Amino acid sequence: VPMASVCERGTFFDDTLKRCRPGRAVYGNCEELTLLEAPIQTDTVLATGGCFRVARTLVGEADAALTLQPGVVVLFEQDAGLRIETGKLVGAGTAERPVVLTGRDGTPGEWTGVYASDAGADALSLTHVVIEYAGGLGPNNRRAGLQIEGATGLRADHLTIENSAGWGRYEEEAEFVGL
């Protein structure tokens, strides 16, 4: 039986399965996952340290803000994603407790990623956010962890996109501040 210290880079020791497996153990403290369902039409705050699951693409609309507080982990099922249309996404992580958006099984391309299209100014504000194992086939047949089209004034500080099956970030007519 392997021990945690012998797992290869990009894997972690799963105490339940007693083996190394792909991904990161970012949800090891998530005993229960709260299901998030679309659409988000009112301001919604995911509380510090909360663990959530998205089974189908989650859509932010109606000028509603989805705020992810420090330590929030969101696990996306196969082909699910997060799409911001007329709403706003605020990832408010810290260096010690980043916000983590990840695929459930730690496979690159498992979920479609974060997508904002014509969402308007300040649609995204991402601080200490990790987007990983995204890049599944998303809107407009593109593969990216973060896909932005036609939005300005987007803010990013300590944004990490890793293990994407496609681009880390795809931009078209987008303007970031701090990236």
Side-chain angles (χ1 to χ4, degrees), residues 59-85:
V59 180
E61 55 185 35
D63 295 323
L66 173 60
T67 302
L68 312 175
Q69 292 185 334
V72 164
V73 174
V74 182
L75 295 159
F76 291 85
E77 299 288 342
Q78 184 73 39
D79 299 326
L82 178 56
R83 191 172 73 225
I84 305 301
E85 292 179 348

Side-chain angles (χ1 to χ4, degrees), residues 12-131:
F12 72 97
F13 187 76
D14 187 318
D15 286 325
T16 304
L17 299 175
K18 302 296 184 212
R19 66 179 175 89
C20 297
R21 64 183 212 122
R24 292 183 2 179
V26 295
Y27 51 89
N29 295 328
C30 293
E31 304 215 358
E32 291 187 30
L33 297 170
T34 302
L35 180 64
L36 296 176
E37 297 186 275
I40 295 192
Q41 297 179 321
T42 59
D43 290 348
T44 303
V45 176
L46 303 187
T48 298
C51 300
F52 302 87
R53 179 175 69 91
V54 175
R56 293 181 306 188
T57 295
L58 188 63
V59 180
E61 55 185 35
D63 295 323
L66 173 60
T67 302
L68 312 175
Q69 292 185 334
V72 164
V73 174
V74 182
L75 295 159
F76 291 85
E77 299 288 342
Q78 184 73 39
D79 299 326
L82 178 56
R83 191 172 73 225
I84 305 301
E85 292 179 348
T86 58
K88 181 176 182 177
L89 174 63
V90 178
T94 65
E96 298 79 29
R97 299 190 77 188
V99 169
V100 178
L101 308 176
T102 187
R104 187 160 173 93
D105 294 323
T107 303
E110 184 172 4
W111 63 290
T112 61
V114 177
Y115 176 75
S117 174
D118 300 319
D122 302 321
L124 294 178
S125 179
L126 306 174
T127 302
H128 289 285
V129 172
V130 176
I131 298 172

